[in-house]
C-alpha cells in the first residue's frame, strides 16, 4: 500500500514487476462452447468479447469451437459476422485481424427451437462428426444465456438427447453454465435445482454470479486470508458495523419489462450483494478447494437471522426513484419510465439490516443497500471499527476522531482505503483522519480481465470456486422470500421514494442503530 496520493502515471507495460507474477497459462481440455441465446444481449456484449480476449491471451485450448444455438435461422457466416461486429464494439482490447481469423474460423451456428428434441439430436450428430474429424473427444460446455422461461426445455432436452451425460471413460464430458435468476423465490429455486439434478450432477453445474468474476471480489479472500493483520480484529470485539453498497447511476433503461418483475432485492441484493457479504464474513476455509470455500459461504448464509418485518421493528426499506438529476442531466422517475405501469410497486432501491448469529459477528449489524439512479456508480464494502477505549483523545472540540475504517472498493475505482487518525503537524495537539490508498490502476495498470473471461475459463478448466452451488442459492432465497411475500401482500404500502441522483430514501437512515452510525456518503 502507498500512503496518501498515488503516483500520477500508472504503469502501462507488462514489464511492470507486479504484473510479471500474473498467471498466463491454465490448461483447458478440447472444448466446444455451445451458447443458448446466441443472438442475445449478454452474448453480444459480454460472452463473445470474453472469448475473444481469452484467444488473445492464448488461453483457449488448441481444439476449441464455439457454436451458437438459437431459434433464429442463421448460417455459420451470419453468426460469425454478428460475433465479429460485437467483439469489435465491446471488447476491452481492439479486434486484431490475425487473432480474429484464428477464432472466427472456429465459430459456427446451429439453428433450432429450444423445445424441439430433434434439434438437439441433430446437434449431437454434428458433434460426433466433428470428433471423428479431429480424432478426439470434446468436452461440451452448454452456456444457457436465455430468459429463465426456457431453462426447463433446454435442460430437459440436453438430458433426453444424451448430451448432458456424454462420457470419456468414467469422466462426464458435459457441463452446463447458467445465468441468473436461479428462481424468483425459494420454491422456484428448488424447482430449478430439481430440474438440473434430474439431468446433470451438481459437479457439472456452474451457476454464474458475475460479481464473483470481478478481480476485486476475488481479491477479498486474498486480502482477508493472505494478510495476518486482519484476522485478529475481524470480529465483534473490534468491528462496529459493516456497510455494503452496490449503487448504480443508470436507471432501468430498456429492461423495464424484466426489471418491473424483478426489483432491486431480486436483481441485486439476493445475489450479488449476498456474495460480497459471504466472502467478507465467512470463516476461513480449511483449503482452497472449491467445496471448502462454498461450504463456508453456505454456513454463513445459514447463520443470518430472519429479518424483522413489523412496523415497530423493521429491518428492510424499499423505495422507487423519482425525477432528479444525474450528472447534471434531468432524468425521469421510475413510474414515468417507458413500459413501467403507473401503479408499479417494484422497488428500485432496497436497504436491509442483517444480523449474523455466530461467535464472530455477535451483535455486529451488517447494512446492505443497492439501488438504481443513485448519486454515482459505486460498489464497496466498508468495515467500520470501534473507537479506541479511554479518554486520551475524547475532547471533541480539539480532536476530530473518526473511527478507523477499511473500505474495499470493488468498482469502479478499484482498490482499498484505510482511514486512520493522525496528528496535524504543528505545535498544537490536533488530530484529523487521513487515508491510505491502494489503487489497482496504479499498481497493476488498468486493463484487467473482465469477469466473464475468468468465469468462462474456470468453467472450461472445471474450477467451480467462483460459481454458486445449489444449496447456496436456496439458502439466500430462504432469507429473502419472506420479505418478497410481505411486500407483495402490502402492495404499494411502505414504498418510499428518493430523488434520482441522491443516496436513497431518508427512511433508510432509521435502519442504522448506533447514534454514530450513518450511511456513508461516498464521494468521487
Ligand atoms: C445485473 C443486473 O446482474 O447486474 C443489472 O441484472 C445490473 O440490473 C448489473 O445493472 C450490474 O452489474 P455491474 O457489473 O455493472 O455492476
Amino acid at each position: 500500500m502507498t500512503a496518501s496520493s498515488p503516483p500520477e502515471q500508472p504503469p502501462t507495460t507488462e514489464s511492470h514487476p507486479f504484473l510479471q507474477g500474473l498467471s498466463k497459462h491454465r490448461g483447458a481440455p478440447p472444448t466446444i462452447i455451445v451458447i443458448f441465446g446466441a443472438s442475445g444481449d449478454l452474448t453480444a456484449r459480454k460472452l463473445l468479447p470474453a472469448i475473444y480476449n481469452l484467444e488473445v491471451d492464448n488461453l483457449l485450448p488448441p481444439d476449441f469451437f464455439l457454436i451458437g444455438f438459437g431459434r433464429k435461422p442463421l448460417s455459420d457466416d451470419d453468426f460469425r459476422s454478428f460475433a465479429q461486429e460485437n467483439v469489435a464494439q465491446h471488447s476491452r482490447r481492439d479486434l486484431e485481424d490475425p487473432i480474429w481469423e484464428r477464432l472466427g474460423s472456429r465459430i459456427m451456428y446451429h439453428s433450432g427451437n429450444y423445445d424441439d428434441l430433434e434439434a438437439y439430436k441433430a446437434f449431437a450428430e454434428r458433434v460426433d462428426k466433428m470428433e471423428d474429424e479431429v480424432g478426439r473427444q470434446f468436452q461440451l460446455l452448454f452456456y444457457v444465456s436465455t430468459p429463465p422461461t426456457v431453462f426447463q426445455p433446454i435442460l430437459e432436452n440436453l438430458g433426453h438427447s444424451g448430451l448432458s451425460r456424454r462420457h470419456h471413460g468414467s469422466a462426464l464430458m458435459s457441463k452446463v453454465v447458467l445465468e441468473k435468476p436461479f428462481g424468483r423465490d425459494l420454491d422456484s429455486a428448488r424447482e430449478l435445482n430439481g430440474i438440473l439434478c434430474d439431468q446433470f450432477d451438481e459437479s457439472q453445474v456452474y451457476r454464474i454470479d458475475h460479481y464473483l468474476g470481478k478481480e476485486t471480489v476475488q481479491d477479498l479472500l486474498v486480502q482477508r486470508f493472505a494478510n495476518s493483520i486482519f484476522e485478529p480484529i475481524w470480529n465483534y470485539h473490534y468491528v462496529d458495523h459493516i456497510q455494503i453498497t452496490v449503487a448504480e447511476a443508470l436507471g432501468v433503461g430498456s429492461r423495464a419489462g424484466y426489471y418491473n418483475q424483478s426489483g432491486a432485492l431480486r436483481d441485486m441484493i439476493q445475489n450479488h450483494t449476498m456474495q460480497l457479504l459471504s466472502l467478507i464474513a465467512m470463516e476461513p476455509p480449511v483449503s482452497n478447494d472449491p467445496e471448502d470455500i462454498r461450504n463456508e459461504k453456505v454456513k454463513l448464509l445459514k447463520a443470518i437471522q430472519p429479518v424483522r418485518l413489523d412496523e415497530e421493528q423493521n429491518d428492510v426499506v424499499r423505495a422507487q426513484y423519482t425525477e432528479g438529476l444525474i450528472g447534471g442531466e434531468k432524468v425521469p422517475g421510475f413510474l414515468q419510465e417507458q413500459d413501467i405501469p403507473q401503479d408499479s410497486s417494484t422497488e428500485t432501491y432496497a436497504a436491509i439490516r442483517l444480523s449474523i448469529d455466530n461467535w464472530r459477528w455477535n451483535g455486529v449489524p451488517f447494512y446492505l443497500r443497492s439501488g438504481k439512479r443513485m448519486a454515482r456508480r459505486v460498489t464497496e464494502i466498508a468495515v467500520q471499527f470501534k473507537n479506541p477505549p479511554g479518554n486520551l483523545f475524547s475532547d471533541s472540540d480539539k480532536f476530530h476522531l473518526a473511527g478507523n475504517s477499511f473500505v474495499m472498493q470493488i468498482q469502479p475505482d478499484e482498490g482499498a482505503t484505510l482511514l486512520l487518525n493522525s496528528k496535524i503537524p504543528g505545535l498544537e495537539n490536533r488530530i484529523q483522519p487521513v487515508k491510505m490508498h491502494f489503487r489497482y490502476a496504479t499498481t497493476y495498470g488498468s486493463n484487467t480481465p473482465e469477469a466473464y473471461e475468468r468465469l468462462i475459463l474456470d468453467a472450461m478448466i472445471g474450477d467451480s470456486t467462483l460459481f454458486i452451488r445449489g444449496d447456496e442459492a436456496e439458502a439466500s432465497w430462504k432469507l429473502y422470500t419472506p420479505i418478497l411475500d410481505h411486500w407483495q401482500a402490502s402492495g404499494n404500502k411502505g414504498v418510499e421514494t428518493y430523488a434520482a441522483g441522491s443516496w436513497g430514501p431518508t427512511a433508510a437512515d432509521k435502519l442504522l442503530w448506533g447514534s454514530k452510525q450513518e450511511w456513508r456518503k461516498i464521494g468521487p
Side-chain angles (χ1 to χ4, degrees):
M1 292 204 190
T2 53
S4 64
S5 41
E8 298 209 328
Q9 291 301 317
T12 51
T13 69
E14 298 247 327
S15 62
H16 187 278
F18 282 116
L19 292 173
Q20 286 171 358
L22 300 181
S23 102
K24 275 273 178 204
H25 294 286
R26 305 172 69 204
T31 302
I32 301 177
I33 296 189
V34 186
I35 303 184
F36 292 94
S39 48
D41 191 52
L42 184 78
T43 307
R45 285 189 310 108
K46 297 289 181 191
L47 306 185
L48 293 168
I51 291 168
Y52 171 78
N53 279 290
L54 289 175
E55 177 66 19
V56 175
D57 288 332
N58 272 323
L59 288 169
L60 294 178
D63 290 313
F64 173 86
F65 290 93
L66 165 63
I67 306 186
F69 191 124
R71 293 174 283 208
K72 282 194 187 157
L74 302 179
S75 66
D76 288 345
D77 277 344
D78 292 338
F79 185 57
R80 240 170 248 148
S81 308
F82 169 81
Q84 188 175 7
E85 272 165 38
N86 282 292
V87 170
Q89 201 179 335
H90 301 293
S91 164
R92 71 186 162 95
R93 292 187 285 210
D94 290 344
L95 187 125
E96 287 180 35
D97 287 342
I99 298 172
W100 175 253
E101 272 157 31
R102 254 182 7 236
L103 179 65
S105 62
R106 292 179 283 154
I107 294 182
M108 303 170 202
Y109 189 76
H110 189 83
S111 138
N113 281 330
Y114 298 138
D115 56 1
D116 177 11
L117 179 58
E118 292 310 312
Y120 295 75
K121 288 186 179 163
F123 181 78
E125 282 171 20
R126 191 169 175 177
V127 173
D128 289 340
K129 241 192 231 158
M130 289 168 70
E131 289 183 337
D132 287 346
E133 277 166 24
V134 298
R136 53 194 311 179
Q137 209 176 344
F138 289 101
Q139 73 161 333
L140 299 178
L141 195 107
F142 297 106
Y143 199 118
V144 186
S145 165
T146 63
T149 43
V150 288
F151 283 179
Q152 184 164 358
I154 292 173
L155 296 172
E156 287 180 349
N157 281 327
L158 286 174
H160 298 159
S161 59
L163 282 164
S164 67
R165 300 211 169 255
R166 289 166 77 95
H167 280 85
H168 180 73
S170 61
L172 282 162
M173 297 297 284
S174 316
K175 293 173 182 163
V176 63
V177 180
L178 221 62
E179 280 285 340
K180 79 166 187 49
F182 313 122
R184 286 182 54 75
D185 53 21
L186 183 57
D187 285 348
S188 52
R190 283 183 174 148
E191 198 183 324
L192 176 61
N193 279 341
I195 297 168
L196 276 164
C197 285
D198 287 345
Q199 313 304 341
F200 294 88
D201 281 353
E202 178 67 32
S203 63
Q204 295 173 278
V205 181
Y206 293 77
R207 293 176 194 78
I208 283 204
D209 182 310
H210 76 278
Y211 268 55
L212 291 180
K214 293 180 191 276
E215 278 292 339
T216 37
V217 177
Q218 292 162 42
D219 196 25
L220 292 175
L221 289 189
V222 180
Q223 299 235 4
R224 276 194 67 193
F225 301 126
N227 295 302
S228 55
I229 58 167
F230 291 123
E231 185 55 19
I233 55 172
W234 215 252
N235 55 51
Y236 74 98
H237 291 294
Y238 294 95
V239 176
D240 183 74
H241 69 277
I242 292 184
Q243 291 189 23
I244 304 180
T245 300
V246 185
E248 296 183 277
L250 291 175
V252 293
S254 56
R255 297 164 76 224
Y258 154 77
Y259 196 84
N260 193 47
Q261 296 296 316
S262 172
L265 204 75
R266 284 191 174 97
D267 189 48
M268 299 295 280
I269 299 258
Q270 181 273 336
N271 36 57
H272 306 322
T273 316
M274 290 308 281
Q275 284 303 317
L276 302 181
L277 171 70
S278 319
L279 293 173
I280 208 68
M282 71 184 205
E283 295 301 311
V286 291
S287 81
N288 261 329
D289 182 273
E291 294 318 316
D292 287 336
I293 294 175
R294 300 196 296 182
N295 285 344
E296 292 305 334
K297 286 164 71 188
V298 173
K299 263 164 62 185
L300 190 276
L301 290 172
K302 287 185 175 167
I304 300 176
Q305 293 303 287
V307 294
R308 299 165 308 173
L309 294 161
D310 337 331
E311 278 188 17
E312 258 91 274
Q313 296 198 305
N314 180 27
D315 291 325
V316 200
V317 167
R318 58 174 170 159
Q320 293 174 339
Y321 59 83
T322 55
E323 187 181 272
L325 291 176
I326 300 271
E329 300 255 324
K330 197 163 154 186
V331 297
F334 178 62
L335 297 179
Q336 286 78 54
E337 298 271 17
Q338 202 178 349
D339 300 330
I340 297 294
Q342 292 289 301
D343 59 351
S344 172
S345 60
T346 301
E347 78 287 355
T348 60
Y349 169 100
I352 180 162
R353 173 177 51 210
L354 294 176
S355 312
I356 299 175
D357 186 14
N358 66 12
W359 196 305
R360 182 186 293 269
W361 297 118
N362 176 42
V364 178
F366 283 71
Y367 301 112
L368 278 44
R369 60 178 166 168
S370 178
K372 299 248 182 234
R373 287 284 189 232
M374 292 181 67
R376 57 186 285 251
R377 174 174 182 251
V378 63
T379 298
E380 62 154 55
I381 302 169
V383 180
Q384 182 67 45
F385 293 95
K386 292 181 177 166
N387 279 344
N391 59 4
L392 205 53
F393 298 113
S394 62
D395 180 351
S396 60
D397 286 343
K398 248 167 91 191
F399 307 118
H400 296 285
L401 272 200
N404 298 127
S405 57
F406 183 57
V407 183
M408 286 147 278
Q409 284 111 5
I410 305 296
Q411 63 183 22
D413 185 17
E414 292 89 351
T417 300
L418 183 63
L419 195 119
L420 301 165
N421 292 301
S422 161
K423 179 179 174 302
I424 303 174
L427 299 180
E428 259 186 283
N429 229 359
R430 287 185 304 146
I431 291 182
Q432 77 163 22
V434 293
K435 290 175 177 174
M436 287 171 72
H437 291 297
F438 152 62
R439 290 177 71 241
Y440 275 71
T442 311
T443 306
Y444 300 117
S446 52
N447 207 357
T448 49
E450 289 245 350
Y452 279 96
E453 294 170 40
R454 172 71 193 252
L455 294 172
I456 292 172
L457 181 63
D458 279 5
M460 278 197 293
I461 290 167
D463 181 343
S464 52
T465 311
L466 301 177
F467 297 85
I468 315 288
R469 215 167 55 187
D471 55 345
E472 206 178 333
E474 288 184 21
S476 181
W477 278 120
K478 192 169 176 198
L479 191 67
Y480 286 104
T481 300
I483 306 176
L484 292 163
D485 289 347
H486 176 75
W487 284 353
Q488 194 177 4
S490 324
N492 291 61
K493 190 166 161 246
V495 180
E496 308 283 343
T497 57
Y498 61 104
S502 69
W503 278 109
T506 47
D509 297 345
K510 295 196 199 114
L511 291 181
L512 287 95
W513 271 339
S515 57
K516 293 223 174 92
Q517 295 176 355
E518 54 180 31
W519 290 108
R520 283 168 47 78
K521 306 267 179 302
I522 306 167

